[in-house]
């Protein structure tokens, strides 16, 4: 009984932190309609700011806390709203997600640049050493502070939203933005207030969490991601349910830690928040088909069969020349880049055409690499590297196909995050501490031959992707991305189309992952991490996930980034900074760089004056008039 | 033929639709009019399965389709256009119609090729000149015609049109009326929601008037025009009295 009580109290404390995080997320989502993936990163930045004020500048805890939570974090939120969110308007989900994920990476990059990750940063708990015993359970003063703060925040948020004039305006804007504007509320100001408030709550959660863990930009950011599950339970809009969700999640996690001690079960302990998120998503009722569209983009043109064949042939010739002429020292990087390009290519049909955002594409790449490693380098290994991820993709997609948009993206995030902890970090999968050895497929040990094989695989898949776009399935996918309601009312079997493309995309990513593994010789858990997955998605969207050339350039640039890093000293991490900035620029050029250039260079044709509709068979007015009379 | 019986929908405590029944027979254009917020689009959403009713049933060609999904209803011969446009903006105008034809052909596999059918339908609604343009850049009136062509590509027996005339000028609206009558003459049941009362009165054989979620009256254009209740709903009680 004592254990149960102790676990419950610990669970409630953690749950309060989740509730705080999630409530901030809900406030920003409801006021702007944009799910802020960078919410965790704002909390992380607040934690570092708090460390800077207390440990580095010597400020006492309370003023530092107030300054961080009431001034710095809300200011960050308001600035983000002004510079980014307001510009997004009616942008598609793929763009809004990418911009906020880009912001997440940018903030991590900034934090790593200012606060050297190699130096440990520690934040002291509030009232360190003070303890209280409640019903035989020892509680630290810091834990009590967490519970008291969460309770106070829950009550004041409710009171603010229901009793204050500003709070009522905020709810009005959530209900109907245009109507609220007509009655005198300013949706823009309310949106900014929502972001400031949300960021303040993220900051509060970040500071309270900081003393519980070692202060690391990535860890802190991802810890806050756990709170997303609570927000989903509150359907991203309901604050009381979100608080309940946070507490439930905390309790589930604590009880699991206490009671699930069997080896297998204990391995899933770290992924409980993500399982919680996945289940909450799958079971949550979905809104009916949304009958409203995002602003149309000028889509990049689709090359015809002849042009595709010509481009593929030219690419293979260049690849053959490069395979012969490139110095051996560069061959590894080039092969690696082309394998990454293949993984990015798998995003084109899924995200670019179908508008289904997958945040865990590298997970499928990882499964492909593991499949090749386990089956062997022969043709059957290569086949397994495609078939196994495709099958897993199908399994993940089956329960989630009901989901749309953001919910689907979050489900893939939960899957990727869970696989990070339960599969790629699992000793039974990654048998060797140095990583799992992956053979080169088809015994191609010669680096030049292997480079050409990877280029060939990319060329074949790229040809296939473009052929797919020109086919009925391609048209179905694009239509599905543009208007699910339109598709349904034409009789399209939407789920079947979605499942097919999800499995195909996972298979292609698996092949890319296997080829990547073959090039490296071994793969480890760090190769397929969630943050890297997000970075790849961002790069693809920034450069143009609707075009094959866009993802090819994105992959090659990612490969070139370390070279750039060598030439820029004093910058913590070039890739997150560049990718983050690029994603933010996406707010303006939503087709991606290549997509925008392609669309801009298309012959601009004004829509001509249209002739009148032709009637068939012609009906003469007088006949009808007499019929009516 | 479409038959809707005793449909009821509640949003919280508000009745969006209450006891609405109507019939839309094949071979004629049936009108559904009413002030903004009367429940016309909600009824379309119920008929096409985008939204579920709290009460009542929907029958297509004497088959109860109340529990069918949107896709099943489309395959049974029900097509619609939308008040808020739902064109596939990233596809070309031709691809929009071609896709619909392909989906239909996938079911029945006979007749002309989807591209031929798409070109014919685009000619019929007058969009041949923009067939290769991206649909997302079309002006509203043309996009509505595209939605009509796309709906026709699945060879529907019943066609629901939600304000197809908005965004069209007077001459275009007149031509649209002729087109709709010709469709009805070919045997299609057409249910038309339209704010252009002139158009409705000219082409509809029978008209239903909806107000605050309930049927106010029904009848021929002349009967509906003469109805005091309809005049009050549109013009206000005071204007009618004076």
């Amino acid at each position: 009984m004592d254990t149960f009580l102790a676990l419950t109290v610990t669970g409630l404390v953690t749950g309060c932190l989740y509730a705080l995080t999630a409530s901030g997320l809900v406030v920003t989502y409801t006021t702007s309609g944009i799910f802020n993936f960078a919410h965790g990163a704002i909390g992380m930045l607040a934690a570092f700011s708090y460390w800077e004020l207390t440990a580095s500048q010597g400020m006492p805890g309370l003023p530092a806390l107030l300054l961080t939570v009431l001034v710095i974090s809300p200011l960050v939120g308001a600035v983000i709203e002004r510079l980014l969110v307001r510009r997004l308007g009616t942008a598609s989900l793929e763009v809004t997600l990418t911009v906020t994920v880009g912001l997440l990476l940018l903030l991590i990059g900034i934090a790593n640049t200012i606060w050297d990750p190699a130096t440990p940063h520690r934040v002291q708990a509030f009232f360190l050493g003070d303890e209280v015993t409640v019903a035989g359970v020892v509680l630290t003063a810091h834990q009590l502070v967490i519970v008291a703060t969460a309770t106070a925040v829950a009550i004041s948020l409710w009171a603010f939203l229901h009793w204050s004039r500003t709070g009522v305006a905020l709810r009005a804007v959530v209900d109907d933005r245009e109507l609220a504007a007509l009655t005198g509320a300013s949706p823009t100001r309310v949106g900014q207030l929502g972001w400031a408030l949300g960021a303040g709550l993220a900051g509060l959660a970040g500071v309270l969490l900081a003393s519980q863990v070692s202060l690391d930009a990535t860890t802190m950011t991802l810890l806050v991601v756990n709170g997303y599950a609570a927000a989903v339970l509150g359907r991203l809009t309901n604050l009381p349910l979100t608080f309940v969700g946070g507490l439930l999640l905390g309790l589930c996690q604590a009880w699991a830690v206490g009671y699930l001690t069997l080896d297998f079960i204990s391995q899933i302990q770290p992924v409980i928040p993500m399982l919680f998120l996945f289940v909450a998503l799958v079971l949550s009722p979905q809104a009916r088909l949304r009958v409203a569209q995002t602003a149309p983009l000028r889509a990049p043109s689709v090359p015809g069969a002849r042009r595709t064949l010509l481009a593929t042939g030219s690419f293979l010739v260049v690849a053959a020349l490069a395979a012969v002429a490139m110095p051996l020292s560069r061959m590894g990087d080039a092969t690696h880049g082309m394998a990454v390009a293949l993984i990015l290519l798998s995003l084109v049909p899924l995200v670019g055409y179908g508008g289904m955002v997958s945040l865990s594409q590298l997970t499928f790449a990882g499964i492909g690499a593991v499949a090749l490693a386990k089956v062997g380098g022969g043709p059957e290994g290569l086949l397994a590297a495609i078939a196994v991820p495709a099958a897993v993709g199908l399994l993940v997609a089956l329960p989630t196909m009901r989901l749309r948009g953001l919910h689907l993206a979050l489900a893939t995030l939960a899957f990727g995050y869970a696989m990070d902890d339960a599969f790629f970090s699992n000793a039974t999968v990654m048998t060797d501490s140095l990583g799992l050895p992956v053979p080169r497929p088809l015994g191609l040990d010669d680096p030049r031959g292997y480079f050409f094989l990877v280029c060939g695989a990319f060329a074949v898949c790229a040809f296939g992707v473009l052929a797919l776009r020109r086919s009925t399935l391609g048209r179905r996918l694009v239509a599905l991305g543009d208007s699910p309601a339109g598709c349904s009312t034409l009789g399209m079997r939407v789920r079947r189309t979605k499942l097919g493309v999800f499995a195909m995309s996972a298979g292609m990513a698996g092949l890319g992952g296997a080829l990547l593994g073959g090039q490296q010789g071994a793969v480890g858990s760090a190769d397929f991490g969630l943050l890297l997955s997000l970075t790849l998605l961002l790069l693809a969207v920034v450069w143009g996930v609707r075009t094959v050339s866009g993802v090819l350039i994105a992959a090659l640039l990612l490969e070139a980034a370390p070279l750039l890093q060598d030439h820029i000293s004093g910058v913590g991490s070039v890739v997150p900074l560049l990718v983050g900035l690029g994603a933010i620029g996406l707010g303006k050029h939503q087709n991606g760089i290549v997509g925008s250039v392609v669309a801009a260079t298309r012959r601009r044709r004004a829509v001509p004056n249209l002739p009148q509709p032709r009637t068939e068979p012609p009906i003469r007015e007088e006949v009808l008039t007499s019929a009516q009379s | 033929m479409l038959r809707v019986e005793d449909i009821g929908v509640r949003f919280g405590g508000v009745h969006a639709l209450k006891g609405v029944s109507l019939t839309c027979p094949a071979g004629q254009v049936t009108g559904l009019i009413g002030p903004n917020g009367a429940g016309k689009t909600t009824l379309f959403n119920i008929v096409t399965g985008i939204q579920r009713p709290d009460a009542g049933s929907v029958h297509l060609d004497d088959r109860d389709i109340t529990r069918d999904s949107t896709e099943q209803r489309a395959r049974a011969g029900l097509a619609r256009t939308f008040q808020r446009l739902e064109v596939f903006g990233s596809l070309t105008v031709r691809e929009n119609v071609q896709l619909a034809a392909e989906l239909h052909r996938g079911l029945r596999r006979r007749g002309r090729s989807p591209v031929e059918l798409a070109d014919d339908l685009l000619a019929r609604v007058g969009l041949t000149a923009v067939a290769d343009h991206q649909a997302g850049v079309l002006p509203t009136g043309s996009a509505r015609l595209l939605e009509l062509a796309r709906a026709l590509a699945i060879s529907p027996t019943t066609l629901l049109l939600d304000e197809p005339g908005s965004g069209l000028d007077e001459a275009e609206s007149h031509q649209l009326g002729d087109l709709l009558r010709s469709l009805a003459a070919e045997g299609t049941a057409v249910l038309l929601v339209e704010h252009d009362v002139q158009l409705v009165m000219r082409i509809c054989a029978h008209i239903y008037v909806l107000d605050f979620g309930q049927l106010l009256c029904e009848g021929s254009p002349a009967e509906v025009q003469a109805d005091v209740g309809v005049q009050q709903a549109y013009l206000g009680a005071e204007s009618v009295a004076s």
Side-chain angles (χ1 to χ4, degrees):
Chain A
M1 191 62 197
D2 281 355
T3 318
F4 175 76
L5 214 58
L7 288 172
T8 305
V9 170
T10 317
L12 284 176
V13 173
T14 318
C16 282
L17 275 177
Y18 288 148
L20 271 180
T21 311
S23 59
L25 196 64
V26 167
V27 169
T28 45
Y29 181 72
T30 47
T31 49
S32 61
I34 288 170
F35 186 89
N36 181 17
F37 260 96
H39 192 73
I42 295 173
M44 172 275 294
L45 210 61
F48 271 104
S49 308
Y50 179 76
W51 175 88
E52 183 70 36
L53 291 173
T54 52
S56 180
Q57 307 294 328
M59 194 184 272
L62 190 63
L65 173 75
L66 293 177
L67 190 62
T68 311
V69 174
L70 297 181
V71 181
I72 299 175
S73 299
L75 208 63
V76 169
V79 169
I80 292 172
E81 195 280 337
R82 180 69 194 87
L83 296 181
L84 278 181
V85 177
R86 211 174 287 178
R87 288 198 322 195
L88 289 174
T90 56
S92 66
L93 177 78
E94 131 208 346
V95 170
T96 57
L97 273 190
T98 309
V99 169
T100 57
V101 170
L103 183 66
L104 175 147
L105 290 175
L106 178 71
L107 293 181
I108 290 182
I110 289 175
N112 281 338
T113 306
I114 302 177
W115 298 283
D116 183 9
T119 321
H121 302 88
R122 294 222 163 266
V123 170
Q124 216 175 43
F126 293 107
F127 310 107
L128 190 66
D130 290 350
E131 285 176 355
V132 185
T133 308
V134 183
V137 179
V138 179
L139 275 174
T140 65
H142 188 87
Q143 286 176 316
L144 282 179
V145 168
I146 291 177
V147 175
T149 313
T151 314
V153 164
I155 295 170
S156 6
L157 254 185
W158 194 88
F160 168 71
L161 290 174
H162 287 83
W163 290 341
S164 78
R165 194 183 163 81
T166 321
V168 171
L170 213 130
R171 281 166 52 218
V173 170
V174 172
D175 276 349
D176 191 325
R177 205 176 170 83
E178 284 153 19
L179 200 61
L182 287 176
T183 54
S186 162
T188 316
R189 199 170 302 158
V190 165
Q192 194 160 34
L193 178 77
W195 274 76
L197 192 62
L201 289 169
L204 183 60
V207 173
L208 291 175
L209 189 69
S211 64
Q212 317 280 299
V213 292
S214 127
L215 210 52
D216 170 79
T218 311
T219 317
M220 282 288 298
T221 302
L222 292 183
L223 266 179
V224 181
V225 169
N226 287 346
Y228 292 180
V232 167
L233 202 74
R235 294 184 205 168
L236 299 176
T237 48
N238 186 325
L239 275 174
L241 255 184
T242 300
F243 266 88
V244 172
L247 296 181
L248 262 180
L249 175 60
L251 285 173
C252 283
Q253 209 176 0
W255 288 333
V257 169
Y259 294 120
L260 305 182
T261 45
L262 288 174
D263 258 7
F264 168 73
I265 300 175
S266 66
Q267 279 167 3
I268 66 161
Q269 281 173 3
V271 301
I272 284 169
M274 289 300 114
L275 283 179
F276 194 96
L277 173 59
F278 196 82
V279 172
L281 282 166
V282 169
L283 297 183
S284 70
Q286 285 286 290
R288 62 188 168 85
L289 279 177
R290 198 164 65 103
V291 188
Q293 290 209 105
T294 51
L297 290 174
R298 186 170 278 272
S301 60
V302 187
R306 268 184 61 184
R307 230 177 88 197
T308 310
L309 203 63
L310 201 68
T312 312
S314 316
F315 173 80
L316 283 174
V317 170
V318 173
L321 288 174
V324 176
M326 203 186 305
L328 268 179
S329 57
R330 288 267 169 252
M331 200 57 84
D333 288 342
T335 312
H336 196 271
M338 286 312 300
V340 171
L342 185 51
I343 297 171
L344 290 188
L345 184 67
S346 72
L347 289 169
V348 175
L350 191 68
V351 185
Y353 299 161
M356 287 172 273
V357 179
S358 161
L359 300 175
S360 59
Q361 209 61 5
L362 259 191
T363 308
F364 295 113
I367 296 172
V370 172
L372 181 72
K374 301 285 181 191
V375 177
E380 68 284 359
L382 218 45
L383 201 65
I386 298 169
V388 175
V392 176
L394 208 58
L395 279 179
V396 176
L398 268 174
T400 55
M401 274 304 108
R402 204 174 58 83
L403 308 176
R404 285 188 295 272
L406 175 64
H407 290 86
L408 179 64
L410 281 173
T412 60
L413 174 92
F415 168 70
Y417 200 176
M419 286 291 282
D420 253 13
D421 280 325
F423 187 75
F424 294 118
S425 305
N426 192 324
T428 45
V429 180
M430 300 292 182
T431 40
D432 202 315
S433 59
L434 294 171
L436 182 69
V438 182
R440 287 209 165 168
L442 311 176
L444 266 176
D445 287 329
D446 169 44
R448 295 184 190 282
Y450 191 65
F451 169 74
F452 192 70
L453 171 79
V454 179
C455 287
F458 177 84
V460 169
C461 289
F463 186 84
V465 165
L466 287 171
L468 170 90
R469 172 60 189 85
R470 290 191 303 270
S471 72
T472 307
L473 182 59
R475 281 186 284 278
R476 282 183 186 212
L477 274 177
V478 175
L480 201 54
D482 282 349
S483 167
C487 289
S488 289
T489 52
L490 292 176
M492 188 195 290
R493 288 189 167 92
V494 172
R495 285 187 191 187
R496 203 184 288 181
T497 309
K498 277 180 165 184
L499 279 176
V501 73
F502 213 89
M504 187 193 70
S505 166
M508 202 190 294
L511 176 64
L515 293 174
L516 186 84
Q519 197 280 320
Q520 292 181 177
V523 291
S525 57
D527 288 324
F528 309 109
L530 185 66
L531 272 188
L532 196 54
S533 228
L534 294 180
T535 310
L536 287 185
L537 173 73
L538 283 182
L539 269 174
V541 177
V542 166
W543 282 92
V545 75
R546 291 170 170 218
T547 56
V548 169
S549 41
V551 293
L552 180 63
I553 293 174
L556 295 179
L557 273 177
L558 181 71
E559 216 50 53
L563 303 176
L564 194 65
Q565 176 97 58
D566 294 343
H567 292 92
I568 304 174
S569 56
V571 177
S573 182
V574 170
V575 176
L577 280 175
L578 284 183
V579 171
L581 285 172
I584 287 161
L586 191 69
K588 205 166 181 185
H589 301 285
Q590 300 180 358
N591 257 335
I593 297 169
V594 172
S596 295
V597 172
V598 170
T601 51
R602 269 175 86 180
R603 194 156 51 93
R604 283 202 175 270
R605 292 175 297 183
V607 177
N609 287 329
L610 298 169
Q612 305 295 325
R614 179 161 60 87
T615 53
E616 230 174 43
I619 297 173
R620 293 173 61 184
E621 192 66 30
E622 60 269 31
V623 176
L624 282 161
T625 319
S626 62
Q628 274 182 355
S629 61
Chain B
M1 183 183 79
L2 174 75
R3 203 174 78 244
V4 168
E5 282 179 2
D6 210 18
I7 288 291
V9 179
R10 291 165 66 113
F11 294 135
V14 181
H15 283 283
L17 289 173
K18 192 176 178 186
V20 175
S21 300
L22 58 81
T23 307
C24 176
Q28 73 172 45
V29 181
T30 306
L32 177 63
I33 60 172
N36 280 332
K40 305 180 295 286
T41 299
T42 305
L43 186 64
F44 268 27
N45 286 345
I46 297 287
V47 171
T48 47
I50 287 177
Q51 208 171 329
R52 297 280 164 185
D54 295 317
S57 58
V58 182
H59 303 261
L60 188 68
D61 300 329
D62 289 327
R63 196 172 71 80
D64 189 345
I65 56 164
T66 318
R67 293 184 170 278
D68 288 5
S69 68
T70 303
E71 295 91 317
Q72 284 169 327
R73 292 175 202 219
R75 289 197 288 270
L78 185 67
R80 77 171 282 185
T81 66
F82 292 85
Q83 182 191 8
R84 296 181 71 174
L85 289 169
E86 291 286 340
V87 292
F88 305 132
S90 311
L91 295 178
T92 65
V93 169
R94 182 183 285 111
E95 280 180 315
N96 263 266
V97 188
Q98 185 188 343
L99 171 65
E102 284 165 347
L103 288 168
H104 180 65
R105 188 183 161 86
L107 303 169
R108 306 211 165 95
R109 290 223 170 266
R110 59 184 158 81
R112 285 168 298 170
S113 82
V115 179
E116 284 170 359
L117 184 64
D119 284 341
D120 279 0
L121 287 171
L122 288 176
R124 194 165 185 188
V125 299
L127 291 179
T128 303
V130 288
D132 292 319
H133 281 68
Q134 192 188 324
V137 300
L138 288 186
T140 312
S142 307
R144 290 196 186 283
L145 293 175
L146 171 59
E147 278 203 355
L148 174 60
R150 193 180 67 182
L152 291 175
I154 64 167
S155 305
T157 57
T158 302
L159 183 59
L160 274 56
L161 302 173
D162 204 344
E163 297 189 22
S166 74
L168 299 182
D169 64 26
E170 202 179 330
E172 289 167 336
S173 172
H174 195 84
Q175 295 289 331
L176 174 73
D178 289 349
L179 173 63
L180 297 185
R181 269 200 304 217
S182 72
L183 286 172
E186 290 163 18
T188 312
V190 180
L191 181 60
L192 172 71
V193 163
E194 184 55 63
H195 277 301
D196 180 350
V197 176
Q198 266 188 331
L199 174 68
V200 175
M201 294 300 163
R202 189 170 74 86
I203 66 168
C204 292
H206 196 83
I207 297 172
Y208 292 89
V209 186
L210 209 56
D211 191 27
F212 288 112
Q214 286 179 294
L215 274 184
L216 196 61
C217 83
E218 62 168 295
S220 67
E223 287 167 344
V224 166
Q225 270 178 312
D227 191 284
V228 180
V230 175
Q231 291 170 16
Q232 282 179 345
Y234 270 90
L235 303 171
E238 287 169 16
S239 312
V240 174
S242 63

